Amino acid sequence: VKMAQYYSKKPKLGTDSAEGAANMAEGNADRQLLAQLTNEDGEATGAPFELPANITPKQLQLLANAVLEHDHDDPQPYTFFVNQQEIIETLSAIVAQQQINPETVIPIVYQPQAVFRVRGISQCSATIPGHADNIVDAYFSPDGRNLATGSGDKTVRFWDVSTMTPKKTCKGHKHWVQCIAWSPDGVYVASGGRDNEVRIWNAETAQQFGKPLIGHKSYITWLAWQPLHLAKQGKCTLVASSSKDGRVKIWDLLKGRAVISLAQHTKGVTCIKWGGSDLLYTASQDTTIKVWRASDGVLCRTLDGHAHWVNSLSLSTEYVLRTGPFDERGNYDGDIVACAKQRYEAVTRGQDEKLVSASEDNTLYLWNPVTDKKPVTRMTGHQKGINFVLYSPDGRLIVSASFDKSAKLWDGKTGQFLQTFRAHVGPVYRCTWGPDSRLLITASEDSTIKLWNVKSHKLLKDLPGHEGSVFAVDWAPNGELVASGGADKTLKIWRH
């Protein structure tokens, strides 16, 4: 039976689909292998069926779309894995490579890929001066249409990405701005400074919202907004800050003060994440990660394992929490909180979020922090401390950036090492993912950013242009632009 016929019949799950699969490429293979399609959670889809040994990913794609009854005018792209190894050429090649007994049932795991495709960047379309000191943080808004930066010149700036010009400058901090964060609804930007203060800016008017949030006794290290789907008032009004003073505070914008203060770390807190199940995750120079209930500040558990400072955290749900209700085009339809909740639930599929931690001890740990204080695995390979770690938008991969001048790719579920990206000649400070999880950018002290193909692990583009270290890089959630900034005080916008 030809593929087209198989498609048009759209067999139901069960024996019909097994027969359809068995006949799919009849006469086209010397031998048959018994296979079972399973989803990422290990659940079998339909009954096992015989497949030609030389079946290709393209043919598997048609098969999966037929078995899962997708509209053949709008097929869902998939990648296929056997024992966590992707099928690149044929099923028989994997069977031979892994020395699998061909008489057994071979589980083939299918992973849905992003339907949309992001084009890689290839050129710098604007170099915009404006800041008078290092640019230390740069982030696009959740819809990808606006951009904010924080700098050592004590200001936060908003930029017009359509005209490539400075929009507004926000003055108020009395010392360097250390970090910035957009609220998931795109209404506010929070900034934390070396003046120990948190300030909130209205993204539309660039005016300060309320008074400075004062209470920390040392500089602010990180900021995290409450996920939009948890917001009670239908908008973002709670933001958490971490500080070198070892404390974490949750601020209520409407009250203009801290409503919860968390003080059980014994050294500076370096990073903070606000999870989708309303837990706060805090990483510290005391080598621990603590998990708190954000609603009342109760300490749930302490995650021990690292032997040195914990520098960075990332959640498997991070991207969907960052982008709130907005789809890949920067739009949403309906109630903003309901849209955010729907997107979050589509990503988690009833599973708990995972957390990855990166440390000065050269290692990463993978955790199931919602339920367990024991790590899933310890991830080793870097030769020096790890600056930064980030989950891919689809939550399937992790990238880590290190002082050893490399970035490494890991499996987001198991923590298994996959690949090293080597090309930089200085420490790698930051990474950012393309919204479709197929491309990756690294930023380094060597004054370059580099574009990588995640699947082939190849360097696609070396992008020099900065005249000093690149501290900040971000890919717009709508996929169109990349922004970078660093020691040369200029903002660069990159596009295809």
Side-chain angles (χ1 to χ4, degrees), residues 434-456:
D436 63 356
S437 304
R438 291 182 176 104
L439 300 169
L440 174 70
I441 288 173
T442 51
S444 166
E445 183 191 78
D446 68 10
S447 80
T448 70
I449 65 172
K450 299 189 192 297
L451 175 69
W452 306 86
N453 180 306
V454 174
K455 198 168 184 176
S456 69

Side-chain angles (χ1 to χ4, degrees), residues 210-275:
K211 293 179 177 170
L213 304 173
I214 298 169
H216 282 296
K217 293 181 169 58
S218 188
Y219 61 84
I220 313 300
T221 55
W222 208 269
L223 296 160
W225 287 86
Q226 180 188 39
L228 182 56
H229 70 269
L230 302 172
K232 300 280 191 292
Q233 286 97 345
K235 58 183 178 181
C236 297
T237 57
L238 296 177
V239 65
S241 59
S242 60
S243 167
K244 183 75 167 81
D245 66 10
R247 291 173 185 265
V248 171
K249 291 182 183 291
I250 298 177
W251 308 88
D252 187 322
L253 271 54
L254 302 180
K255 293 176 181 170
R257 61 179 174 83
V259 287
I260 288 177
S261 187
L262 311 172
Q264 294 204 30
H265 281 295
T266 55
K267 289 185 180 171
V269 182
T270 51
C271 186
I272 177 171
K273 297 290 172 184
W274 199 323

Side-chain angles (χ1 to χ4, degrees), residues 156-456:
V156 172
R157 278 179 179 256
F158 289 96
W159 308 82
D160 189 323
V161 291
S162 52
T163 60
M164 308 287 179
T165 53
K167 204 169 172 181
K168 295 266 173 61
T169 304
C170 306
K171 294 179 179 174
H173 281 289
K174 301 184 259 314
H175 208 318
W176 299 345
V177 175
Q178 288 280 108
C179 50
I180 62 169
W182 283 87
S183 61
D185 56 8
V187 175
Y188 300 115
V189 169
S191 60
R194 281 190 90 89
D195 56 6
N196 312 349
E197 295 178 2
V198 176
R199 290 171 188 259
I200 309 296
W201 311 92
N202 182 302
E204 190 61 43
T205 64
Q207 296 299 309
Q208 188 171 308
F209 179 88
K211 293 179 177 170
L213 304 173
I214 298 169
H216 282 296
K217 293 181 169 58
S218 188
Y219 61 84
I220 313 300
T221 55
W222 208 269
L223 296 160
W225 287 86
Q226 180 188 39
L228 182 56
H229 70 269
L230 302 172
K232 300 280 191 292
Q233 286 97 345
K235 58 183 178 181
C236 297
T237 57
L238 296 177
V239 65
S241 59
S242 60
S243 167
K244 183 75 167 81
D245 66 10
R247 291 173 185 265
V248 171
K249 291 182 183 291
I250 298 177
W251 308 88
D252 187 322
L253 271 54
L254 302 180
K255 293 176 181 170
R257 61 179 174 83
V259 287
I260 288 177
S261 187
L262 311 172
Q264 294 204 30
H265 281 295
T266 55
K267 289 185 180 171
V269 182
T270 51
C271 186
I272 177 171
K273 297 290 172 184
W274 199 323
S277 50
D278 213 17
L279 294 173
L280 274 177
Y281 308 100
T282 59
S284 169
Q285 291 179 327
D286 67 11
T287 76
T288 71
I289 298 137
K290 292 190 185 291
V291 183
W292 316 78
R293 220 160 48 206
S295 55
D296 54 11
V298 168
L299 178 64
C300 302
R301 59 193 63 84
T302 298
L303 312 180
D304 286 306
H306 285 296
H308 208 315
W309 302 342
V310 185
N311 291 332
S312 181
L313 298 173
S314 184
L315 286 167
S316 56
T317 53
E318 194 156 321
Y319 192 78
V320 73
L321 295 178
R322 171 192 173 176
T323 50
F326 300 101
D327 63 17
E328 70 277 2
R329 292 185 182 86
N331 303 320
Y332 70 91
D333 186 21
D335 177 68
I336 194 166
V337 175
C339 285
K341 189 172 171 54
Q342 191 181 353
R343 289 187 71 237
Y344 174 74
E345 287 172 351
V347 165
T348 54
R349 305 194 313 278
Q351 307 277 318
D352 289 333
E353 59 198 354
K354 282 188 161 52
L355 178 77
V356 62
S357 57
S359 167
E360 203 66 24
D361 68 5
N362 309 357
T363 72
L364 302 112
Y365 274 91
L366 187 63
W367 311 87
N368 280 324
V370 178
T371 54
D372 200 353
K373 65 178 188 180
K374 290 194 178 78
V376 176
T377 190
R378 180 171 182 251
M379 298 142 73
T380 60
H382 279 296
Q383 303 302 308
K384 289 187 178 175
I386 303 162
N387 286 309
F388 189 70
V389 65
L390 188 62
Y391 258 99
S392 60
D394 63 12
R396 294 199 183 101
L397 297 167
I398 295 165
V399 67
S400 55
S402 168
F403 280 106
D404 66 10
K405 306 175 188 174
S406 77
K408 288 185 187 289
L409 190 68
W410 315 82
D411 184 288
K413 278 195 165 177
T414 64
Q416 183 186 350
F417 168 73
L418 299 174
Q419 184 63 32
T420 300
F421 299 112
R422 283 187 211 283
H424 286 292
V425 293
V428 185
Y429 289 141
R430 281 285 168 102
C431 315
T432 184
W433 287 91
D436 63 356
S437 304
R438 291 182 176 104
L439 300 169
L440 174 70
I441 288 173
T442 51
S444 166
E445 183 191 78
D446 68 10
S447 80
T448 70
I449 65 172
K450 299 189 192 297
L451 175 69
W452 306 86
N453 180 306
V454 174
K455 198 168 184 176
S456 69

